[in-house]
Amino acid sequence: MKPTDIKDPEYFHRVVDCQYACPAHTPVPEYIRLIAAEKYTEAYMVNWESNVFPGVLGRTCDRPCEPACRRGRVEEEPVAICRLKRVAADFKDDPRAHMPMGPFPANGKKIALIGGGPASLTVARDLAPLGYELHLFDEQIKGGGMMRSQIPSFRLPESVLDEEVGYVLDLGVHAVFNKYVESMREVLAQDYDAIFVGTGAPKGGDLPRLPGRWDAPDHIHIGITWLASVAFEHTTKIGKKVIVLGGGNTAMDCCRTARRLGGEEVTVVVRSPFETMKASPWEIEDAMREDIPILNNMPPKEFVVENGKLKGVLFEKVEAVYDESGRRKLIPTGEPDVFIEADDVLIAIGQENSFPWIERDLGIEFGQWDVPVLNPVTFQSTLPKVFFGGDAALGPKNIITAVAHGHQAAISIDLFCQGQDVAKDRPAPTVNLIHQKMGIHEWGYDNDIAGDLRYKVPHLEKKQSLHDRKLEVELGFDPATAFREAQRCLNCDVQTVFNTSRCIECDACVDICPTSCITFTMNGEEEDLRTRLTAPANNLEQALYVSEPLKQTARVMIKDEDVCLHCGLCAERCPTAAWDMEKYLYQVTKAGQGCNTTLAV
Amino acid sequence: MTYIKPKFRHPELPVNAVGYARKDYEGAISTLCGGCGHDSISGAIVQACYEMAIEPHRLAKLSGIGCSSKTPTYFLSNSHGFNSVHGRMPSVTTGAILANRDLIYLGVSGDGDTASIGMGQFVHAIRRNLNMVYIVMNNGCYGLTKGQDSATADLGSISKGGVPNAYMPIDLAGMAIELGASFVARSFSGDKTQLVPLIKAAMSHQGFAFIDVVSPCVTFNNNPGSTKSYDYVREHLEATAAVDYVPEKEEITISYGEGQTADVELHDGSRLALHKIAPNWDPHDRLSAIQRLHVAREKEEVLTGLLYLSKDNETFHQFLHTVDQPLNTLTEEDLIPSQEVLAAINADHR
Ligand SMILES: Cc1cc2nc3c(=O)[nH]c(=O)nc-3n(C[C@H](O)[C@H](O)[C@H](O)COP(=O)(O)OP(=O)(O)OC[C@H]3O[C@@H](n4cnc5c(N)ncnc54)[C@H](O)[C@@H]3O)c2cc1C
Ligand SMILES: Cc1ncc(C[n+]2csc(CCOP(=O)(O)OP(=O)(O)O)c2C)c(N)n1
Ligand code: SF4
Ligand code: SF4
Ligand code: SF4
Ligand SMILES: [Mg+2]
């Protein structure tokens, strides 16, 4: 193998599993250390820089960081990264002193932001301090998009959302609410320098051809429309017996909301097996805790309506069969159909993009499923001044993805407005490495690896929370528990940096490493090397760190990054400081930052 | 801000034939200087015991005084241990072996502990052919007392103190062969591929198995001018043969060129496969071993590998005609002759 190029900013980025997995690349270990130090406001700001909505995301994020967390590879469960983010938001002081403060000197450029969800708000947050005049339009009464219309208050209190949407709008955004943009042609006709489309994926899936669908329309609802109607208090109750169709997170929000609006027997029915349900495991768990049964392998066959009144739904029984190519088919088992009574049915079977307001002769091309044709890096559409982001860009995802798109689109819009090339002139991320040695057995980070298992977030009593849809179910960690949970973090951003010329091949690092990461051996191809290491190296997603040939034996040092605990013992034991622990900070470039990659090795 | 070994280990570490993982053979975190060769030897001992699937409670580790003699704390925490006084490990081991012949005895000593204060003990342990593994962690100095030249320091070798050593060195391996030790090897702490199989072979051997392991003292004797530094040793390494330890039931699969591979049998049925054997050396021939050592000294080589292995040898318990049962398990009943037996013995003397 070739020696690893640690000057490549992406090399160590991959080692920080959580940050790498986060679409917005939030420096997770950095904020977790700040929480452990009770510096909640600073921890909040680290988040705010990266993901704009720490309080919201600390409650609702899809948390791709957690399955990626290294801790999950050395013990049972990852660090509660998401819930620690909430801790920063819960215990911070007023963060506004640390935020950019307008009015900002105008740069003469005007941008339209269509839609007021997390994607548009992120573009606004990034561009406002640069002096852009920002006009944001949304058909809802307040900003936040689906964070407001879809995510129920028992998961996300309105006050948290208002606060964080407010921080963005207060930067001087001209927001126009209750305004549905009906024509892109009209927007283009105005003097905007660029237009950002962040209108989400607003069309809820339906079962238009299922028998009976249109026979009792008042009691058969589209899940996301119904949730929005609940959020804006147009709907305040539901029948006693409710069926929710679908196995995703929307279905989980629908059934739990129904429980709070008078649903006593709420049942989720999913056409496919439990294991393949799209909903996050914790959402499923929360629904089940609220006495909501989940029935699987039952596709709906018919809405049973008698005399104009909904009676229930008839379901077929199927089983999942996989062919050689791994494709799934749901095959009827031949068992009798199942009838379930219902007063109301909520259809929660997916979402789609929909752009009825964008005329198709403007030069904005659309591809399959009515998704715009975009450059995946710049988010620029085929009409250069129009950019897309969030669910509007790639179909329904989640908030953190919308935020990540927003950052990238803001960079593009800034470059575009400054006459630069949106692809070629994109600035590289900034990275730096900072030496952590402070003395004998002393490092600039807490390298004692806590053995604690993951702490659970306490919940409000069920009876109470089912009574009021606005009461938040999760109570969040208290500071003491937050500290203990924070201590579970392995500080994967404190990197093991190897200096070949210093190594005397004494094996001290090999002998001390608790997780057998280090091997000195003759070089070879990666496939072969992976079979010759001190411990099995089967996780191909994790890199092998390879040194230059060593002075005394011409062997190389190979470190499997997979389960390194970042405990620093290799550096502690190394007599020549050939190993050093260096804190690596990777920051995604933001709009307005010049091209400055610094790497201090 | 701590110096504690985390409890997590590699999640996919295998277990050996008796169900233990490598970590079950580890000890407390070392307090030796980082980079000390002794730590690598500890690592090799852990590796060898894990691979041989020794049940930890079946082994006793004994040592004298010195950095080297501290190492038993850093391996095999689940085994028996005795940290004796300076140079007295052999006599304590003698007593232990007498009392319980069933344990595996691993003696750990230093070049000071063995070649200076413990020399008398060492030679008699060899004469008695104690059934033990005797490892000297040889760094050419008294590490624990700040690096004074030891009796194994080469003539003219310069330690951190800066004064060339004025005395001839004692070659412990040569001496052991001379005195009739039944298994003699030399190795280097920085070469686990050789050291691990040698330790395994030594543990399979019945009788006194001596391994002189060159083990750099990174703090006091790893400087230019020293003949026990990492780079000097690596530059002057020469092996009698490459060694592979082959457990009892396994077939030897590797085969080298004709005339270059030999297979020496150990007492428990396992074998050492020797590859690329040096010319004019026969592991069973004491004379050739001594001669090979002399040639190496002349050429300034650090000769490692198996040096000598006797084909048949009697051990301490055989010399003494003791019973097979460990003496410490004999009860009063076993030890005190019955009236009739006593009468018969007395009758013999009348
Ligand atoms: C039930 C449900 C629960 C969810 N839960 C979570 C969760 O827990 N965690 C998570 O990360 N994600 C969750 N999501 C997904 C998440 O809400 C979205 O991925 C995210 O909000 C997308 O952000 P966006 O900015 O792209 O668009 P949106 O948030 O959809 O915002 C688009 C906005 O544009 C407005 N708009 C649309 N067209 C026009 C127009 N022509 N003129 C003016 N305004 C317009 C809409 O009214 C809306 O306010 C959930 C989604 C649903 C449906
Ligand atoms: C009876 C006695 N005399 C002297 C000492 C002082 N002393 C402690 S360790 C040591 C030498 C150890 O050298 P070595 O066995 O080579 O061990 P190393 O530290 O080099 O591994 C001496 C002389 C002692 N502890 N006890
Ligand atoms: S920091 Fe060093 S000693 Fe600790 S687990 Fe990683 S490689 Fe091993
Ligand atoms: S501890 Fe340091 S000098 Fe020794 S082998 Fe490891 S990196 Fe090299
Ligand atoms: S003084 Fe020398 S022998 Fe003792 S621990 Fe340090 S390096 Fe090892
Ligand atoms: Mg010594």
Side-chain angles (χ1 to χ4, degrees):
Chain A
M1 286 180 79
K2 282 216 198 74
T4 301
D5 178 15
I6 59 164
K7 291 210 162 87
D8 173 357
E10 290 306 315
Y11 178 72
F12 283 132
H13 187 199
R14 260 181 76 182
V15 177
V16 197
D17 298 281
C18 46
Q19 182 176 18
Y20 188 69
C22 173
H25 305 308
T26 305
V28 174
E30 181 74 7
Y31 82 69
I32 291 184
R33 275 190 301 272
L34 288 168
I35 290 171
E38 299 181 343
K39 294 185 172 174
Y40 304 116
T41 312
E42 287 86 341
Y44 184 83
M45 287 310 297
V46 167
N47 274 288
W48 192 77
E49 283 286 332
S50 299
N51 55 52
V52 192
F53 304 100
V56 172
L57 289 165
R59 294 165 163 86
T60 64
C61 190
D62 260 357
R63 26 172 154 151
C65 52
E66 291 192 15
C69 171
R70 175 175 304 256
R71 184 99 187 177
R73 298 200 292 274
V74 293
E75 58 128 313
E76 284 146 45
E77 290 209 73
V79 175
I81 298 169
C82 181
R83 274 22 181 188
L84 285 172
K85 196 190 307 291
R86 171 178 170 170
V87 166
D90 283 357
F91 300 113
K92 68 180 185 304
D93 301 323
D94 187 347
R96 270 172 298 198
H98 304 267
M99 292 177 178
M101 287 289 235
F104 306 101
N107 72 354
K109 305 283 180 187
K110 219 162 85 176
I111 314 292
L113 304 167
I114 308 184
S120 284
L121 290 169
T122 301
V123 177
R125 205 279 312 258
D126 288 358
L127 293 184
L130 305 180
Y132 286 90
E133 184 178 326
L134 302 161
H135 295 190
L136 181 146
F137 304 95
D138 194 297
E139 63 172 314
Q140 291 178 181
I141 52 168
K142 278 179 172 183
M146 285 197 168
M147 300 189 291
R148 187 177 299 280
S149 65
Q150 297 297 317
I151 303 182
S153 319
F154 56 82
R155 287 207 289 125
L156 173 61
E158 204 178 352
S159 57
V160 175
L161 184 60
D162 286 347
E163 176 191 330
E164 292 188 335
V165 170
Y167 291 146
V168 177
L169 297 181
D170 290 351
L171 294 171
V173 178
H174 306 279
V176 186
F177 293 115
N178 291 313
K179 165 75 183 158
Y180 182 78
V181 175
E182 301 200 15
S183 161
M184 182 61 120
R185 191 188 306 282
E186 280 171 25
V187 181
L188 284 168
Q190 295 168 56
D191 58 348
Y192 290 113
D193 294 286
I195 297 160
F196 177 78
V197 180
T199 50
K203 208 170 121 194
D206 200 345
L207 295 164
R209 281 182 291 277
L210 204 70
R213 167 67 181 91
W214 305 108
D215 297 343
D218 291 349
H219 293 275
I220 301 173
H221 319 270
I222 301 296
I224 65 168
T225 316
W226 182 79
L227 284 172
S229 164
V230 173
F232 296 117
E233 305 197 326
H234 306 310
T235 297
T236 52
K237 57 178 191 298
I238 196 162
K240 284 200 168 66
K241 293 179 182 169
V242 180
I243 293 175
V244 176
L245 301 176
N249 284 337
T250 304
M252 298 305 115
D253 281 339
C254 283
C255 66
R256 297 178 68 196
T257 303
R259 282 288 275 138
R260 287 160 172 80
L261 258 57
E264 286 168 10
E265 288 174 35
V266 179
T267 310
V268 173
V269 189
V270 191
R271 49 201 290 270
S272 49
F274 188 82
E275 308 74 56
T276 59
M277 279 171 65
K278 287 218 180 75
S280 315
W282 54 90
E283 305 265 342
I284 296 177
E285 205 179 290
D286 287 345
M288 290 172 42
R289 194 180 299 125
E290 293 176 359
D291 311 318
I292 299 166
I294 297 176
L295 308 179
N296 291 85
N297 296 318
M298 289 169 56
K301 228 178 158 177
E302 183 186 342
F303 292 99
V304 180
V305 181
E306 277 172 23
N307 305 324
K309 191 173 179 320
L310 180 71
K311 289 284 170 195
V313 181
L314 192 65
F315 293 93
E316 191 173 17
K317 294 208 95 173
V318 297
E319 64 181 336
V321 179
Y322 295 85
D323 65 18
E324 299 93 60
S325 59
R327 277 182 49 151
R328 190 188 71 191
K329 266 196 181 149
L330 298 174
I331 309 284
T333 59
E335 289 165 90
D337 291 345
V338 178
F339 173 73
I340 302 176
E341 278 183 49
D343 303 318
D344 283 282
V345 177
L346 299 169
I347 304 176
I349 56 165
Q351 263 168 273
E352 283 166 34
N353 288 65
S354 161
F355 301 99
W357 57 280
I358 302 184
E359 296 83 351
R360 299 304 148 113
D361 58 353
L362 303 171
I364 304 174
E365 273 177 47
F366 285 83
Q368 247 186 328
W369 297 298
D370 215 20
V371 182
V373 176
L374 302 173
N375 176 316
V377 176
T378 65
F379 293 91
Q380 191 174 38
S381 76
T382 51
L383 186 63
K385 64 156 46 172
V386 178
F387 299 82
F388 284 72
D391 287 358
L394 302 174
K397 294 265 153 40
N398 50 40
I399 301 167
I400 191 67
T401 305
V403 168
H405 290 180
H407 287 311
Q408 292 307 318
I411 293 172
S412 303
I413 292 169
D414 184 41
L415 292 171
F416 180 76
C417 291
Q418 306 307 324
Q420 289 178 283
D421 188 310
V422 294
K424 292 204 198 97
D425 294 335
R426 293 185 96 68
T430 57
V431 283
N432 55 29
L433 277 168
I434 306 163
H435 186 61
Q436 294 296 295
K437 182 97 177 162
M438 288 172 59
I440 295 174
H441 305 341
E442 277 224 65
W443 298 92
Y445 70 109
D446 196 344
N447 65 330
D448 180 2
I449 309 291
D452 304 25
L453 296 178
R454 183 178 171 120
Y455 290 91
K456 289 210 157 50
V457 179
H459 281 203
L460 189 68
E461 210 208 322
K462 186 164 76 186
K463 215 168 133 197
Q464 207 183 343
S465 72
L466 286 181
H467 193 69
D468 181 348
R469 75 170 175 92
K470 291 197 173 171
L471 283 180
E472 191 174 12
V473 173
E474 284 194 12
L475 301 177
F477 287 130
D478 58 39
T481 317
F483 172 76
R484 287 195 292 272
E485 183 62 34
Q487 288 299 86
R488 295 180 69 237
C489 172
L490 297 173
N491 302 289
C492 300
D493 60 341
V494 182
Q495 304 294 351
T496 55
V497 178
F498 184 76
N499 181 327
T500 307
S501 65
R502 287 193 169 155
C503 174
I504 57 167
E505 301 179 61
C506 67
D507 269 4
C509 51
V510 179
D511 292 325
I512 197 72
C513 178
T515 42
S516 315
C517 303
I518 305 170
T519 307
F520 287 84
T521 186
M522 293 316 286
N523 206 342
E525 289 306 314
E526 176 164 357
E527 215 179 309
D528 155 51
L529 272 177
R530 281 185 180 270
T531 64
R532 293 197 270 125
L533 302 184
T534 312
N538 300 324
N539 186 353
L540 301 182
E541 292 192 353
Q542 294 287 322
L544 298 183
Y545 182 175
V546 183
S547 76
E548 306 272 345
L550 290 150
K551 270 187 304 216
Q552 294 186 14
T553 62
R555 295 179 299 175
V556 287
M557 183 292 302
I558 313 271
K559 182 193 164 212
D560 181 6
E561 300 280 11
D562 186 19
V563 290
C564 168
L565 302 171
H566 296 262
C567 64
L569 286 178
C570 49
E572 181 80 52
R573 295 300 289 165
C574 178
T576 62
W579 282 113
D580 190 19
M581 302 307 290
E582 296 182 12
K583 190 171 92 174
Y584 169 86
L585 190 62
Y586 177 100
Q587 278 176 310
V588 186
T589 330
K590 283 210 334 241
Q593 277 173 348
C595 184
N596 59 340
T597 308
T598 46
L599 189 72
V601 183
Chain B
M1 268 138 283
T2 180
Y3 190 47
I4 298 168
K5 191 156 175 173
K7 68 167 195 181
F8 298 125
R9 295 293 176 271
H10 194 290
E12 289 166 56
L13 282 190
V15 294
N16 62 18
V18 290
Y20 292 115
R22 196 181 182 282
K23 73 161 192 279
D24 300 312
Y25 296 86
E26 288 175 3
I29 194 165
S30 171
T31 60
L32 301 185
C33 308
C36 176
H38 301 353
D39 278 335
S40 294
I41 304 173
S42 298
I45 292 170
V46 167
Q47 190 65 24
C49 292
Y50 159 73
E51 287 176 9
M52 287 186 82
I54 289 170
E55 293 166 293
H57 69 273
R58 296 250 305 102
L59 187 144
K61 42 182 188 172
L62 301 100
S63 63
I65 295 292
C67 297
S68 34
S69 293
K70 283 172 70 179
T71 60
T73 307
Y74 316 134
F75 57 79
L76 299 175
S77 275
N78 296 315
S79 297
H80 307 280
F82 197 114
N83 187 204
S84 74
V85 282
H86 204 14
R88 269 55 185 167
M89 177 270 284
S91 48
V92 176
T93 311
T94 308
I97 291 176
L98 267 178
N100 184 357
R101 60 186 297 168
D102 274 1
L103 294 182
I104 298 164
Y105 289 95
L106 173 60
V108 174
S109 179
D111 44 328
D113 196 59
T114 290
S116 293
I117 194 168
M119 186 57 107
Q121 304 245 324
F122 175 63
V123 299
H124 291 286
I126 296 174
R127 278 183 66 243
R128 287 169 172 161
N129 201 17
L130 297 178
N131 187 15
M132 71 180 292
V133 178
Y134 192 122
I135 291 178
V136 168
M137 301 183 173
N138 186 351
N139 54 14
C141 70
Y142 298 168
L144 192 71
T145 52
K146 305 255 175 293
Q148 300 83 350
D149 291 332
S150 78
T152 64
D154 288 316
L155 183 67
S157 177
I158 305 170
S159 73
K160 200 175 177 190
V163 182
N165 176 36
Y167 304 103
M168 285 298 288
I170 293 174
D171 178 349
L172 288 170
M175 199 174 147
I177 298 173
E178 201 68 72
L179 288 167
S182 47
F183 177 114
V184 180
R186 180 147 53 215
S187 193
F188 169 47
S189 67
D191 183 6
K192 286 206 187 75
T193 43
Q194 181 193 60
L195 181 54
V196 173
L198 283 177
I199 294 173
K200 285 156 84 173
M203 290 202 287
S204 297
H205 175 75
Q206 291 286 317
F208 192 81
F210 178 67
I211 314 178
D212 175 23
V213 190
V214 181
S215 173
C217 170
V218 77
T219 303
F220 297 112
N221 205 6
N222 192 42
N223 45 283
S226 162
T227 59
K228 295 271 191 295
S229 67
Y230 281 104
D231 45 3
Y232 180 93
V233 175
R234 281 210 169 91
E235 237 167 75
H236 294 80
L237 273 184
E238 199 59 53
T240 55
V243 287
D244 256 329
Y245 177 83
V246 189
E248 207 175 339
K249 290 174 205 76
E250 237 168 74
E251 286 292 311
I252 298 177
T253 48
I254 330 152
S255 137
Y256 286 72
E258 187 68 26
Q260 301 212 317
T261 291
D263 200 6
V264 297
E265 187 109 9
L266 298 159
H267 292 93
D268 62 0
S270 60
R271 291 158 309 189
L272 256 191
L274 306 170
H275 314 293
K276 301 185 201 161
I277 298 174
N280 305 323
W281 171 73
D282 170 357
H284 294 307
D285 177 3
R286 191 176 267 130
L287 264 179
S288 81
I290 290 175
Q291 194 188 352
R292 186 69 193 80
L293 275 172
H294 279 283
V295 172
R297 193 174 306 158
E298 234 139 71
K299 293 207 220 157
E300 296 188 344
E301 291 169 358
V302 178
L303 184 66
T304 62
L306 179 68
L307 298 172
Y308 173 70
L309 177 65
S310 84
K311 264 194 170 142
D312 35 22
N313 71 96
E314 281 203 336
T315 66
F316 192 35
H317 276 282
Q318 287 158 325
F319 298 145
L320 296 177
H321 304 291
T322 49
V323 290
D324 286 347
Q325 196 183 343
L327 300 187
N328 65 344
T329 63
L330 296 179
T331 61
E332 238 174 57
E333 234 172 274
D334 300 320
L335 290 170
I336 301 174
S338 63
Q339 285 301 334
E340 298 89 76
V341 174
L342 194 60
I345 292 170
N346 285 339
D348 268 0
H349 292 282
R350 282 203 182 99

